[in-house]
Amino acid sequence: MTSTRVNPLSRAAPVAALAACLASFVFHITGSINHDSAWSLYSTRRLLSGARFYVDMVEINPPLNFYLHVPPVLLSELTGIDPIPAFILFVMGGILIAFALCLPITRQARAEEPALWIPLLATALATSLFVPMGSFGQREHVAVALSLPYFFASAVRGSGRPVARGPAVVAGLMAGIVLSLKPYFLLAPLLLELREVVRGRRVTAVLRPDSVVLVAVVLLYGISVPIFHPEYLRDVVPMALATYSLGFGVSASEFLVQESTVLLVAVLGVYAIARRVLPSRIEADTFWLAAVGFFGAYLWQMKGFPYHVGPVLALVFVALMPIVTGGPLVGDRGLLHPPHRLLALTCSVAIVTLIFSGGRYPTTRDTDLYALIEREAPGGTIAAFGSNMSLGFPLVLEADLHWASRFPTIWPVPGVWHGLHGAGPTPSPEERRRLEGIMDWTRRAVAEDLQTFGPDLVVVDDRPRKSLFDPLEFDWIEWAEQDSLFRAVWEDYVLLERLGPITVYERSRASGGI
């Protein structure tokens, strides 16, 4: 009888994958979620209750981001579980579906080269489950995790093996959806498809099931936005173009030398050097090339937020793994015998350290503001005057509150303030009129929301120099009181308490409030 020898990697992989999934689930389910995801959940819940995007909720992000939050919101409402655990379950489910799809895509490759493909798959799963603080559920995290089947299909084809039509179609569908979350993300598939054109020396090399479906999804989504959400292109985008970069952007010179930019250039460079030891490089190159695409997205956005960094670190980590596991670190000539492998290992350890150094996203339940709300307005309605979304979220979900504003944060104001009072070029008369018009509209919108919702509490960022305004000074109440409607409504509010950098006002009981 002939016995079949089972590769140890194949035997241990399912157990390790299950353990990683359970560990990640326990870690995230006992914590909170980032402010962006919390706002998306809340605003999507309002959408399902009849609110209109870009009218009742003035949000800078394209609509797909909110439609992808419909399943966890429905899960929460149908089962009665809180929105945050429902969201975590939804994201975890998406990760597991994507990973399960990677298995049939890589089946032949794993059977022929398990020592290469099993580490690639294991590392891809790990980087999907364990991400830097605040990145779990962010669009960057979801875009990478759910595009893995498409990336693995590209890697398998690069190795000269076929990919079955069914899994390829689903991979292209998933990638098309999540990579449409931000137009910058499309740089990753663009680079991979250009590689196929160069390798095949013909444009028709891109005509594969996954790539065709991906392009079709992107085009259909692009066509649907002006049809179903004309307000986004008509009202929000022009306002964002006029203000967003002034408040959220940094100069190119500052951006290119900041720590996150230098870090990403370094890790991309490490792989470019260390890859020379790989006998076959195209499989790992696939993930590195996708990382270059996400690095382009990082440069395009020019903010350097931590969750913009995550996709590059994750994909380079996957690309480095075949080098790290490809042979012994110590040879006959000592530790430095394989310098490329040692370099890859050092970079991998550094990436893992960065991922775990931040811990989980902080909950608001331990804050003085949460305690004050629970005491004065449990389950009530709040508004916040500030430029940081973290002032209201995930607080609103964790304390089960209602949000009394159409804005997640009053985001147009910092840019307008810099444009009118900053050290940049003096705006032309036409530009000044446009900026002042946006400021007046935003001020009136804040006043109207205050009148409509009548929040029990209003939280105000009272720091002289605030995030996105620095080095300029700005006072929210002084700004808002330039509107007559706000002055009339604000008469109903009195100072309740000062909590460090924020001040909390309550609606007077004489006015029918709390």
Side-chain angles (χ1 to χ4, degrees):
M1 179 180 294
T2 303
S3 61
T4 303
R5 183 179 178 182
V6 179
N7 188 287
L9 284 173
S10 300
R11 183 182 301 161
V15 176
L18 179 61
C21 291
L22 290 174
S24 176
F25 176 75
V26 171
F27 177 80
H28 291 295
I29 204 71
T30 54
S32 188
I33 58 173
N34 64 82
H35 50 271
D36 288 334
S37 297
W39 159 252
S40 296
L41 283 172
Y42 182 82
S43 55
T44 301
R45 188 165 65 186
R46 286 189 60 188
L47 170 72
L48 296 179
S49 299
R52 297 163 297 170
F53 275 149
Y54 312 117
V55 177
D56 301 314
M57 293 169 292
V58 182
E59 164 60 46
I60 196 171
N61 291 308
L64 180 60
N65 176 60
F66 302 98
Y67 288 120
L68 284 183
H69 286 78
V70 169
V73 170
L74 291 178
L75 176 63
S76 173
E77 293 182 350
L78 292 174
T79 62
I81 64 177
D82 289 339
I84 290 177
F87 175 74
I88 293 170
L89 285 169
F90 172 69
V91 175
M92 290 286 295
I95 291 171
L96 295 180
I97 291 172
F99 182 71
L101 184 58
C102 291
L103 297 180
I105 289 174
T106 61
R107 181 175 290 116
Q108 179 183 342
R110 280 184 291 118
E112 296 173 354
E113 295 182 278
L116 170 65
W117 290 94
I118 291 178
L120 279 174
L121 284 164
T123 310
L125 177 62
T127 56
S128 299
L129 295 172
F130 301 98
V131 294
M133 180 185 76
S135 294
F136 187 86
Q138 282 278 14
R139 284 162 294 170
E140 280 74 7
H141 172 222
V142 172
V144 172
L146 272 62
S147 293
L148 285 174
Y150 169 75
F151 296 149
F152 270 100
S154 181
V156 168
R157 284 201 186 89
S159 70
R161 300 178 177 94
V163 176
R165 181 182 298 273
V169 168
V170 180
L173 176 64
M174 292 177 65
I177 293 172
V178 296
L179 293 176
S180 295
L181 284 168
K182 289 186 179 182
Y184 327 109
F185 294 165
L186 296 174
L187 291 173
L190 177 62
L191 290 178
L192 292 176
E193 297 306 324
L194 285 176
R195 183 185 68 171
E196 294 304 309
V197 171
V198 172
R199 290 180 65 243
R201 296 184 179 181
R202 65 185 193 281
V203 176
T204 55
V206 302
L207 297 179
R208 308 182 315 276
D210 45 340
S211 60
V212 170
V213 171
L214 188 157
V215 171
V217 169
V218 172
L219 291 177
L220 285 173
Y221 171 59
I223 294 170
S224 71
V225 172
I227 296 174
F228 296 104
H229 296 284
E231 303 88 355
Y232 179 67
L233 298 177
R234 185 189 66 216
D235 303 328
V236 176
V237 170
M239 183 163 58
L241 291 174
T243 65
Y244 199 73
S245 62
L246 293 173
F248 286 79
V250 298
S251 68
S253 58
E254 292 175 330
F255 178 73
L256 293 175
V257 299
Q258 67 182 17
E259 290 183 6
S260 57
T261 305
V262 174
L263 168 68
L264 295 185
V265 171
V267 297
L268 288 168
V270 164
Y271 174 80
I273 296 170
R275 68 187 285 274
R276 298 174 186 174
V277 301
L278 289 173
S280 176
R281 302 166 184 169
I282 195 165
E283 298 91 339
D285 283 354
T286 298
F287 300 95
W288 180 82
L289 203 55
V292 172
F294 277 99
F295 180 63
Y298 166 88
L299 293 176
W300 196 340
Q301 296 173 91
M302 202 175 288
K303 300 190 194 78
F305 293 159
Y307 55 88
H308 293 174
V309 174
V312 183
L313 295 180
L315 290 165
V316 171
F317 187 47
V318 175
L320 288 170
M321 199 48 52
I323 304 172
V324 173
T325 61
L329 286 173
V330 180
D332 296 336
R333 302 177 187 176
L335 185 63
L336 297 180
H337 174 59
H340 295 82
R341 189 163 291 120
L342 182 62
L343 180 63
L345 175 64
T346 303
C347 186
S348 299
V349 171
I351 291 174
V352 171
T353 303
L354 285 170
I355 288 174
F356 286 100
S357 62
R360 70 171 86 239
Y361 193 85
T363 177
T364 65
R365 295 187 179 94
D366 301 326
T367 64
D368 292 337
L369 179 58
Y370 184 94
L372 176 66
I373 290 172
E374 287 292 286
R375 184 178 73 245
E376 300 291 340
T381 302
I382 71 165
F385 289 3
S387 52
N388 293 83
M389 196 182 298
S390 55
L391 199 60
F393 294 88
L395 173 67
V396 167
L397 291 184
E398 292 186 330
D400 193 22
L401 302 171
H402 301 282
W403 185 244
S405 177
R406 71 190 70 182
F407 302 100
T409 174
I410 312 177
W411 56 267
V413 175
V416 176
W417 197 254
H418 278 284
L420 295 176
H421 306 288
T426 301
S428 67
E430 182 180 350
E431 291 170 336
R432 177 172 289 275
R433 283 194 298 271
R434 183 168 68 251
L435 291 174
E436 289 176 344
I438 292 172
M439 189 72 95
D440 291 340
W441 177 86
T442 305
R443 189 185 288 114
R444 175 48 62 102
V446 168
E448 290 173 348
D449 289 345
L450 201 66
Q451 181 184 52
T452 300
F453 293 102
D456 303 312
L457 300 176
V458 177
V459 181
V460 180
D461 181 356
D462 255 350
R463 295 171 296 169
R465 291 188 174 182
K466 303 168 176 63
S467 300
L468 306 181
F469 287 94
D470 197 56
L472 304 175
E473 293 189 358
F474 181 82
D475 185 290
W476 282 107
I477 301 302
E478 184 179 297
W479 165 80
E481 284 183 332
Q482 296 178 46
D483 184 88
S484 59
L485 176 61
F486 178 85
R487 291 195 302 270
V489 177
W490 194 241
E491 290 179 356
D492 295 338
Y493 288 84
V494 296
L495 176 65
L496 175 63
E497 194 166 335
R498 298 186 189 278
L499 300 174
I502 63 174
T503 302
V504 182
Y505 295 84
E506 68 173 339
R507 192 177 179 207
S508 171
R509 289 174 173 81
S511 67
I514 57 178

